[in-house]
Amino acid sequence: MHIISFRILREYIENHADSQEALNNWYKIVSKAKWSNLIEVQQVFPKAEAVGNFTVFNIKGNKYRLIVSIDYEGQLVYIKYILTHAEYDKDNWKNDPYF
């Protein structure tokens, strides 16, 4: 999968240093993956779930939520949001027109 973009992860890590190891591990795994559906994603990340048109990953024991859009045909992962669990629960990200 091609991830768009690592810059978003890097910038988030600058403000949330404790997320660095977990986000870097996620990036390494996903960049080598060749998924064709959510079930294949869940074989690697069992707690990943579809929410609207997005896929949500629990990061660092569910302290953070990584929200992405996956284009399986194009093998692209678009990072949309990285939120703390509290920010995620406010549901503001669901106002995204793609949701």
Side-chain angles (χ1 to χ4, degrees):
M1 303 295 278
H2 180 72
I3 302 167
I4 302 171
S5 97
F6 184 73
R7 178 185 53 82
I8 296 168
L9 295 179
R10 189 178 64 241
E11 289 174 358
Y12 195 80
I13 289 166
E14 287 175 11
N15 295 317
H16 300 87
D18 65 323
S19 69
Q20 180 173 359
E21 183 178 353
L23 287 173
N24 283 339
N25 286 339
W26 177 88
Y27 183 86
K28 288 176 191 170
I29 292 167
V30 174
S31 63
K32 294 176 184 171
K34 292 188 183 343
W35 295 320
S36 58
N37 56 51
L38 180 62
I39 292 164
E40 291 180 1
V41 174
Q42 290 171 329
Q43 289 172 349
V44 180
F45 296 100
K47 296 194 181 227
E49 59 184 339
V51 181
N53 290 319
F54 296 127
T55 302
V56 179
F57 293 89
N58 295 332
I59 301 294
K60 193 168 169 54
N62 208 16
K63 182 172 182 180
Y64 301 103
R65 296 285 180 97
L66 175 58
I67 303 166
V68 305
S69 172
I70 301 177
D71 173 0
Y72 294 106
E73 188 174 320
Q75 293 291 292
L76 297 169
V77 175
Y78 299 92
I79 297 173
K80 299 293 278 183
Y81 304 97
I82 309 171
L83 305 171
T84 64
H85 194 90
E87 291 168 335
Y88 176 87
D89 285 345
K90 291 179 183 175
D91 285 345
N92 293 335
W93 62 275
K94 291 182 178 177
N95 294 327
D96 187 295
Y98 186 71
F99 179 77

